[in-house]
Amino acid sequence: MFEKANWIWKTGDRRPINEHIIFRKTFEWAAALSNRAMLSISADTKYRLWVNGTELGEGPIRSTADHWYYDEFDITHLLRPGANAIAVKVWHYGHSNYQYVENEAGLIAQLSLHGSAGIQVIGTDETWLYRRHEGYDADVVKRNVNIGWMEIYDANAMSEQWVLPSYDDRNWARSEVVAPYGGVPWGKLYPRGIEPLSTQIVRPKQIIALSEIVPIRQVISVNMRENLYPDSRDANAKIFSGFLAVKLVAEAEACGRLTFAHSKWNGVQGRFRIDDRWYVHNDEIQVAAGEHLFLMEICGVHNDLFSHMEFDFDTELRFAHPFEGNQDASFVTIGPFETIESHADGFQPVYGGVEKSTGLNHEHPLLLEIGACSTLTALEAYKDMCKDVHSRHVLVNNMIYSLMMRKRVVKHYPVTNRLERMLHDHLLPTELPVPMEGGDIEIVLDFGKIYVGTIELEVDAPQGTVIDVYGFENRVNGVNAYTSGCNNSFRYICRDGRQMFKSFTRMGFRYLIVTVRKADVQMRIHRLQLHQSSYPATDKALFRCSDPLLNDIWEISRHTSQMCMEDTFVDCPTYEQVFWVGDCRVSALVNYQLFGSYELVRHCLEMVPRSRSQSPLLLALLPTDWQAAIPMWTFSWIIACKEYVDYSGDSTFFEAIYPEIRETLDAYRGFLNKDGLFDTSSWNMLDWAPIDIPYVGVVTAQQAQLAQCHRIAAKMAESLGLHSEAETLLNHAEQLKRAIQEHLWDEDAQDYLDGIYRNGKPSTTRSLQTHVLLYLADCLGERQTAVIKLKLLDPPEDWIKIGSPFFSFYLFEVWQRFGELDRTLAQIRTDWGKMIQYGATTTWETFHVFPRSHAHAWSSAPAFVLGNQLLGVEKLEEGYRKIRIAPPVTELLWADGIVPTAYGRIDVSWSKEEDKRVMRVSVPRDIQVEAAPELSEDWDIQIHVIG
């Protein structure tokens, strides 16, 4: 593969920032010469592919530099005699985010034409033509650091006919070969081992509101990356101190407020002074006519280097350079005075924003000295320390999140049937009203559930009309709940007439705001729809029972899981779309019960150790260079590797993954202290709960999980015939367990410490979380087991309670071992029932009303629990080779559903209504079945063998 293809790009910059480059290759084809055409393709960072004007797909899937993927398309049906064209649009990010590590830009493709005379090959080389797609603005804000750049597209910049064979490309340039196949930085390419995403068209279900609005006057976004961290392209947290300054000019007395769009985590902000007075976010401000010093203090952890400042004043303010003579720039930065690097090596302080202190000196002499400046004249003493922010990095009204949230409604319009044409596949368009108050027209749409995908618009509009599209997840009492920390949007600038546009931006949302700006004549919307896309999944894992509330909870859990299945499992469709390693275990178990997509699980599990070059602890998410290691996430990965084989029966997996697990455990044992306790500096997270566990020191639950993972690895080694290694691993497990009893058991309190700080100070809390994980890891002492088991059923009042649906999954595991099914069902009704009560269509990130994220895969535990424990099918051997039929002991009256397996699905229904206990099971022939006599003696069990 790719034997006649090279990596190509444009001439010049090999690491462009947020640039869209388009490529074309035309060729002649005759049906008599070939009967099959296969196109293999990859790009850095993302591509979209057309053949003869037909869009085929996007890619590649998430990759790391040492394991880059390619896609393959059968394009035989699209070729026609004569001229044909392959067209590719490549979006190179140029910055890392939480799905990509910054690399060089490139495209590689190879078309293989199979015929009776052999194979003709057309590969990427200098004969492929390219140009920059002028429609995309490179100087934009980010959606957030997790996802990357916002998309702004101007349809007036160039014709979209460039994808057709007939397009005149005589003015395009020849590509430059930048690397041979197999050369750096990508090396060998790997075929994707997972299915392409499936798509369906979803249209809005309802128009919520139609209004005329006036947005905030000025949203100034200043990108300080090149000033403060020149040549830095990573997604790592930036910890530094310094200032941002500008001359603030008011033509007349002005009154208003300055707010920041995001927290420090997602942008740069701090207290600021105007002349001799300090202000903070949302203070009321009055400035006299004239020139003023604006000075913002920066001192903290920032995961993005944009400062998004919302100036909501009664008159427009101007911004000028603080010193005379420079007309090309306005804002300047001073510093950084102090910087701290984030690390995930387990030894150094993390300083990634998870500690209570940043480690910065807030009394730094220069912070105090320059911070005392109250006039532009005083600041001139530090003129030589100031660095101009390039004008292209000062963006005005580019932050759509702010424009959507900070606005005034000046007129409401009734929603009529004619407006609702856009909800259907309708011949007639929706005609929007012409603004009457000089504002913008805003329409709020409800898609009925949270979905994820790309938006397609078809409109008829005058040239220059700006359409801003913004998605969010929830409304509370009729008020939009905006996506704090996520500029979930794109902008489209219309050409004249009827036109179509499909965004490159993958967005998650339930509600969509479409705002038409600069429209002084009527605009028509012919179509607005979502190309919803997720990993292919069907509704085969049906579940119903006699409790309607549990049925609703199962459905929102199922839908959440599906919306969080992409080319990896992701945490949420809206805010991050990130593959978090710890979340993956829950997602995988839910997937086994719902969809049986075993190949996606294996793909995710094999990715995890590819972060080893960045941290011996392995990163908590990938691909990224954000330095965040959560040991519990690594342990969850090892547990998930075992469970993958349990459910899939894939006997080849241990051989592939065991060396990685062994190397990981070797590295983790390097953090054992003299007492044999796992002592590390890392993000020691167990749950979103106020547990007093050290970020530098010993965490009891992590010690237990490390022991558990050694036992899991020992079983893998034994299965591979590595008996000596297995014995060694078991010895390590016992030593780790022994250290827990010796150093972490509190005899007086009759429970376990949550942890010990490196200075020897014990944690001040006791938690249910610690004891749940100790129990599941089989790390309770022999005499402690009876005491702790009672407390796991009836926790002491002073124990920290479960803080998230994620950790409830682990508690339910414990209760399942205790045979407490109805206790689990009652807890699900209480915690997830609250979500149903508030109209949720997906499961929330936390139990708080209302949370940040309304669709979080780690919260979809009920989809696993209900199917796994209520259908009466118990897996006895790997891959369901052998099962036991055991009717559940529960207060429920009936249930039916489906269990996916590698051998085919198991259909189950049972009922104990009217004093009849009947259970019917249809099972594939290759699965052995046995009954549980102690549970089924009063049941009429009917087993139907299929095949």
Side-chain angles (χ1 to χ4, degrees), residues 805-816:
F806 162 71
F807 204 88
S808 294
F809 192 95
Y810 291 85
L811 180 62
F812 296 158
E813 282 189 84
V814 172
W815 288 351
Q816 182 181 16

mmCIF file with all atom_site columns, all heavy atoms in Angstrom, residues 805-816:
data_model
loop_
_atom_site.group_PDB
_atom_site.id
_atom_site.type_symbol
_atom_site.label_atom_id
_atom_site.label_alt_id
_atom_site.label_comp_id
_atom_site.label_asym_id
_atom_site.label_entity_id
_atom_site.label_seq_id
_atom_site.pdbx_PDB_ins_code
_atom_site.Cartn_x
_atom_site.Cartn_y
_atom_site.Cartn_z
_atom_site.occupancy
_atom_site.B_iso_or_equiv
_atom_site.pdbx_formal_charge
_atom_site.auth_seq_id
_atom_site.auth_comp_id
_atom_site.auth_asym_id
_atom_site.auth_atom_id
_atom_site.pdbx_PDB_model_num
ATOM 1   N N   . PRO A 1 805 ? -22.437 9.947  38.806 1.00 0.00 ? 805 PRO A N   1
ATOM 2   C CA  . PRO A 1 805 ? -22.962 8.703  38.232 1.00 0.00 ? 805 PRO A CA  1
ATOM 3   C C   . PRO A 1 805 ? -21.844 7.740  37.860 1.00 0.00 ? 805 PRO A C   1
ATOM 4   O O   . PRO A 1 805 ? -22.038 6.523  37.892 1.00 0.00 ? 805 PRO A O   1
ATOM 5   C CB  . PRO A 1 805 ? -23.729 9.183  36.996 1.00 0.00 ? 805 PRO A CB  1
ATOM 6   C CG  . PRO A 1 805 ? -24.093 10.598 37.288 1.00 0.00 ? 805 PRO A CG  1
ATOM 7   C CD  . PRO A 1 805 ? -22.940 11.137 38.084 1.00 0.00 ? 805 PRO A CD  1
ATOM 8   N N   . PHE A 1 806 ? -20.685 8.283  37.500 1.00 0.00 ? 806 PHE A N   1
ATOM 9   C CA  . PHE A 1 806 ? -19.538 7.447  37.156 1.00 0.00 ? 806 PHE A CA  1
ATOM 10  C C   . PHE A 1 806 ? -19.192 6.506  38.301 1.00 0.00 ? 806 PHE A C   1
ATOM 11  O O   . PHE A 1 806 ? -19.054 5.299  38.110 1.00 0.00 ? 806 PHE A O   1
ATOM 12  C CB  . PHE A 1 806 ? -18.344 8.337  36.812 1.00 0.00 ? 806 PHE A CB  1
ATOM 13  C CG  . PHE A 1 806 ? -17.015 7.637  36.850 1.00 0.00 ? 806 PHE A CG  1
ATOM 14  C CD1 . PHE A 1 806 ? -16.675 6.714  35.878 1.00 0.00 ? 806 PHE A CD1 1
ATOM 15  C CD2 . PHE A 1 806 ? -16.097 7.913  37.851 1.00 0.00 ? 806 PHE A CD2 1
ATOM 16  C CE1 . PHE A 1 806 ? -15.445 6.064  35.907 1.00 0.00 ? 806 PHE A CE1 1
ATOM 17  C CE2 . PHE A 1 806 ? -14.879 7.267  37.894 1.00 0.00 ? 806 PHE A CE2 1
ATOM 18  C CZ  . PHE A 1 806 ? -14.550 6.337  36.923 1.00 0.00 ? 806 PHE A CZ  1
ATOM 19  N N   . PHE A 1 807 ? -19.058 7.048  39.494 1.00 0.00 ? 807 PHE A N   1
ATOM 20  C CA  . PHE A 1 807 ? -18.622 6.182  40.585 1.00 0.00 ? 807 PHE A CA  1
ATOM 21  C C   . PHE A 1 807 ? -19.751 5.289  41.084 1.00 0.00 ? 807 PHE A C   1
ATOM 22  O O   . PHE A 1 807 ? -19.497 4.236  41.673 1.00 0.00 ? 807 PHE A O   1
ATOM 23  C CB  . PHE A 1 807 ? -18.023 6.978  41.744 1.00 0.00 ? 807 PHE A CB  1
ATOM 24  C CG  . PHE A 1 807 ? -17.092 6.128  42.565 1.00 0.00 ? 807 PHE A CG  1
ATOM 25  C CD1 . PHE A 1 807 ? -15.751 6.036  42.229 1.00 0.00 ? 807 PHE A CD1 1
ATOM 26  C CD2 . PHE A 1 807 ? -17.562 5.372  43.625 1.00 0.00 ? 807 PHE A CD2 1
ATOM 27  C CE1 . PHE A 1 807 ? -14.895 5.213  42.938 1.00 0.00 ? 807 PHE A CE1 1
ATOM 28  C CE2 . PHE A 1 807 ? -16.720 4.545  44.344 1.00 0.00 ? 807 PHE A CE2 1
ATOM 29  C CZ  . PHE A 1 807 ? -15.374 4.464  43.995 1.00 0.00 ? 807 PHE A CZ  1
ATOM 30  N N   . SER A 1 808 ? -20.988 5.667  40.833 1.00 0.00 ? 808 SER A N   1
ATOM 31  C CA  . SER A 1 808 ? -22.094 4.777  41.181 1.00 0.00 ? 808 SER A CA  1
ATOM 32  C C   . SER A 1 808 ? -21.930 3.424  40.505 1.00 0.00 ? 808 SER A C   1
ATOM 33  O O   . SER A 1 808 ? -22.350 2.390  41.045 1.00 0.00 ? 808 SER A O   1
ATOM 34  C CB  . SER A 1 808 ? -23.428 5.399  40.762 1.00 0.00 ? 808 SER A CB  1
ATOM 35  O OG  . SER A 1 808 ? -23.698 6.561  41.505 1.00 0.00 ? 808 SER A OG  1
ATOM 36  N N   . PHE A 1 809 ? -21.328 3.418  39.330 1.00 0.00 ? 809 PHE A N   1
ATOM 37  C CA  . PHE A 1 809 ? -21.091 2.167  38.613 1.00 0.00 ? 809 PHE A CA  1
ATOM 38  C C   . PHE A 1 809 ? -20.317 1.187  39.490 1.00 0.00 ? 809 PHE A C   1
ATOM 39  O O   . PHE A 1 809 ? -20.631 -0.011 39.539 1.00 0.00 ? 809 PHE A O   1
ATOM 40  C CB  . PHE A 1 809 ? -20.302 2.465  37.337 1.00 0.00 ? 809 PHE A CB  1
ATOM 41  C CG  . PHE A 1 809 ? -20.230 1.312  36.370 1.00 0.00 ? 809 PHE A CG  1
ATOM 42  C CD1 . PHE A 1 809 ? -21.130 1.205  35.335 1.00 0.00 ? 809 PHE A CD1 1
ATOM 43  C CD2 . PHE A 1 809 ? -19.265 0.327  36.508 1.00 0.00 ? 809 PHE A CD2 1
ATOM 44  C CE1 . PHE A 1 809 ? -21.068 0.138  34.446 1.00 0.00 ? 809 PHE A CE1 1
ATOM 45  C CE2 . PHE A 1 809 ? -19.195 -0.739 35.631 1.00 0.00 ? 809 PHE A CE2 1
ATOM 46  C CZ  . PHE A 1 809 ? -20.103 -0.829 34.599 1.00 0.00 ? 809 PHE A CZ  1
ATOM 47  N N   . TYR A 1 810 ? -19.289 1.686  40.207 1.00 0.00 ? 810 TYR A N   1
ATOM 48  C CA  . TYR A 1 810 ? -18.467 0.831  41.055 1.00 0.00 ? 810 TYR A CA  1
ATOM 49  C C   . TYR A 1 810 ? -19.256 0.362  42.280 1.00 0.00 ? 810 TYR A C   1
ATOM 50  O O   . TYR A 1 810 ? -19.124 -0.787 42.714 1.00 0.00 ? 810 TYR A O   1
ATOM 51  C CB  . TYR A 1 810 ? -17.199 1.575  41.473 1.00 0.00 ? 810 TYR A CB  1
ATOM 52  C CG  . TYR A 1 810 ? -16.255 1.810  40.319 1.00 0.00 ? 810 TYR A CG  1
ATOM 53  C CD1 . TYR A 1 810 ? -16.414 2.906  39.480 1.00 0.00 ? 810 TYR A CD1 1
ATOM 54  C CD2 . TYR A 1 810 ? -15.220 0.925  40.051 1.00 0.00 ? 810 TYR A CD2 1
ATOM 55  C CE1 . TYR A 1 810 ? -15.555 3.120  38.403 1.00 0.00 ? 810 TYR A CE1 1
ATOM 56  C CE2 . TYR A 1 810 ? -14.363 1.126  38.989 1.00 0.00 ? 810 TYR A CE2 1
ATOM 57  C CZ  . TYR A 1 810 ? -14.533 2.229  38.161 1.00 0.00 ? 810 TYR A CZ  1
ATOM 58  O OH  . TYR A 1 810 ? -13.693 2.412  37.099 1.00 0.00 ? 810 TYR A OH  1
ATOM 59  N N   . LEU A 1 811 ? -20.082 1.249  42.826 1.00 0.00 ? 811 LEU A N   1
ATOM 60  C CA  . LEU A 1 811 ? -20.920 0.857  43.954 1.00 0.00 ? 811 LEU A CA  1
ATOM 61  C C   . LEU A 1 811 ? -21.900 -0.238 43.542 1.00 0.00 ? 811 LEU A C   1
ATOM 62  O O   . LEU A 1 811 ? -22.126 -1.196 44.287 1.00 0.00 ? 811 LEU A O   1
ATOM 63  C CB  . LEU A 1 811 ? -21.677 2.069  44.493 1.00 0.00 ? 811 LEU A CB  1
ATOM 64  C CG  . LEU A 1 811 ? -22.611 1.808  45.679 1.00 0.00 ? 811 LEU A CG  1
ATOM 65  C CD1 . LEU A 1 811 ? -21.834 1.304  46.890 1.00 0.00 ? 811 LEU A CD1 1
ATOM 66  C CD2 . LEU A 1 811 ? -23.398 3.078  46.035 1.00 0.00 ? 811 LEU A CD2 1
ATOM 67  N N   . PHE A 1 812 ? -22.457 -0.119 42.342 1.00 0.00 ? 812 PHE A N   1
ATOM 68  C CA  . PHE A 1 812 ? -23.393 -1.135 41.865 1.00 0.00 ? 812 PHE A CA  1
ATOM 69  C C   . PHE A 1 812 ? -22.697 -2.484 41.681 1.00 0.00 ? 812 PHE A C   1
ATOM 70  O O   . PHE A 1 812 ? -23.317 -3.536 41.848 1.00 0.00 ? 812 PHE A O   1
ATOM 71  C CB  . PHE A 1 812 ? -24.043 -0.696 40.553 1.00 0.00 ? 812 PHE A CB  1
ATOM 72  C CG  . PHE A 1 812 ? -24.904 0.543  40.670 1.00 0.00 ? 812 PHE A CG  1
ATOM 73  C CD1 . PHE A 1 812 ? -25.197 1.321  39.555 1.00 0.00 ? 812 PHE A CD1 1
ATOM 74  C CD2 . PHE A 1 812 ? -25.423 0.935  41.900 1.00 0.00 ? 812 PHE A CD2 1
ATOM 75  C CE1 . PHE A 1 812 ? -25.989 2.450  39.651 1.00 0.00 ? 812 PHE A CE1 1
ATOM 76  C CE2 . PHE A 1 812 ? -26.213 2.077  42.008 1.00 0.00 ? 812 PHE A CE2 1
ATOM 77  C CZ  . PHE A 1 812 ? -26.500 2.831  40.888 1.00 0.00 ? 812 PHE A CZ  1
ATOM 78  N N   . GLU A 1 813 ? -21.417 -2.458 41.325 1.00 0.00 ? 813 GLU A N   1
ATOM 79  C CA  . GLU A 1 813 ? -20.657 -3.711 41.245 1.00 0.00 ? 813 GLU A CA  1
ATOM 80  C C   . GLU A 1 813 ? -20.620 -4.403 42.603 1.00 0.00 ? 813 GLU A C   1
ATOM 81  O O   . GLU A 1 813 ? -20.768 -5.629 42.701 1.00 0.00 ? 813 GLU A O   1
ATOM 82  C CB  . GLU A 1 813 ? -19.227 -3.439 40.774 1.00 0.00 ? 813 GLU A CB  1
ATOM 83  C CG  . GLU A 1 813 ? -19.049 -3.191 39.303 1.00 0.00 ? 813 GLU A CG  1
ATOM 84  C CD  . GLU A 1 813 ? -17.578 -3.147 38.934 1.00 0.00 ? 813 GLU A CD  1
ATOM 85  O OE1 . GLU A 1 813 ? -16.980 -4.218 38.718 1.00 0.00 ? 813 GLU A OE1 1
ATOM 86  O OE2 . GLU A 1 813 ? -17.010 -2.034 38.887 1.00 0.00 ? 813 GLU A OE2 1
ATOM 87  N N   . VAL A 1 814 ? -20.387 -3.613 43.640 1.00 0.00 ? 814 VAL A N   1
ATOM 88  C CA  . VAL A 1 814 ? -20.345 -4.173 44.993 1.00 0.00 ? 814 VAL A CA  1
ATOM 89  C C   . VAL A 1 814 ? -21.706 -4.765 45.356 1.00 0.00 ? 814 VAL A C   1
ATOM 90  O O   . VAL A 1 814 ? -21.809 -5.908 45.837 1.00 0.00 ? 814 VAL A O   1
ATOM 91  C CB  . VAL A 1 814 ? -19.926 -3.095 46.008 1.00 0.00 ? 814 VAL A CB  1
ATOM 92  C CG1 . VAL A 1 814 ? -20.070 -3.623 47.435 1.00 0.00 ? 814 VAL A CG1 1
ATOM 93  C CG2 . VAL A 1 814 ? -18.492 -2.646 45.758 1.00 0.00 ? 814 VAL A CG2 1
ATOM 94  N N   . TRP A 1 815 ? -22.740 -4.010 45.151 1.00 0.00 ? 815 TRP A N   1
ATOM 95  C CA  . TRP A 1 815 ? -24.078 -4.484 45.516 1.00 0.00 ? 815 TRP A CA  1
ATOM 96  C C   . TRP A 1 815 ? -24.473 -5.708 44.705 1.00 0.00 ? 815 TRP A C   1
ATOM 97  O O   . TRP A 1 815 ? -25.214 -6.564 45.202 1.00 0.00 ? 815 TRP A O   1
ATOM 98  C CB  . TRP A 1 815 ? -25.091 -3.360 45.337 1.00 0.00 ? 815 TRP A CB  1
ATOM 99  C CG  . TRP A 1 815 ? -24.969 -2.282 46.380 1.00 0.00 ? 815 TRP A CG  1
ATOM 100 C CD1 . TRP A 1 815 ? -24.206 -2.313 47.499 1.00 0.00 ? 815 TRP A CD1 1
ATOM 101 C CD2 . TRP A 1 815 ? -25.650 -1.029 46.390 1.00 0.00 ? 815 TRP A CD2 1
ATOM 102 N NE1 . TRP A 1 815 ? -24.355 -1.145 48.219 1.00 0.00 ? 815 TRP A NE1 1
ATOM 103 C CE2 . TRP A 1 815 ? -25.245 -0.341 47.559 1.00 0.00 ? 815 TRP A CE2 1
ATOM 104 C CE3 . TRP A 1 815 ? -26.547 -0.408 45.536 1.00 0.00 ? 815 TRP A CE3 1
ATOM 105 C CZ2 . TRP A 1 815 ? -25.714 0.931  47.882 1.00 0.00 ? 815 TRP A CZ2 1
ATOM 106 C CZ3 . TRP A 1 815 ? -27.026 0.858  45.853 1.00 0.00 ? 815 TRP A CZ3 1
ATOM 107 C CH2 . TRP A 1 815 ? -26.616 1.518  47.017 1.00 0.00 ? 815 TRP A CH2 1
ATOM 108 N N   . GLN A 1 816 ? -24.024 -5.812 43.465 1.00 0.00 ? 816 GLN A N   1
ATOM 109 C CA  . GLN A 1 816 ? -24.319 -7.010 42.680 1.00 0.00 ? 816 GLN A CA  1
ATOM 110 C C   . GLN A 1 816 ? -23.699 -8.241 43.343 1.00 0.00 ? 816 GLN A C   1
ATOM 111 O O   . GLN A 1 816 ? -24.327 -9.296 43.423 1.00 0.00 ? 816 GLN A O   1
ATOM 112 C CB  . GLN A 1 816 ? -23.785 -6.871 41.258 1.00 0.00 ? 816 GLN A CB  1
ATOM 113 C CG  . GLN A 1 816 ? -24.097 -8.079 40.377 1.00 0.00 ? 816 GLN A CG  1
ATOM 114 C CD  . GLN A 1 816 ? -23.558 -7.947 38.977 1.00 0.00 ? 816 GLN A CD  1
ATOM 115 O OE1 . GLN A 1 816 ? -22.696 -7.114 38.697 1.00 0.00 ? 816 GLN A OE1 1
ATOM 116 N NE2 . GLN A 1 816 ? -24.068 -8.751 38.057 1.00 0.00 ? 816 GLN A NE2 1
#
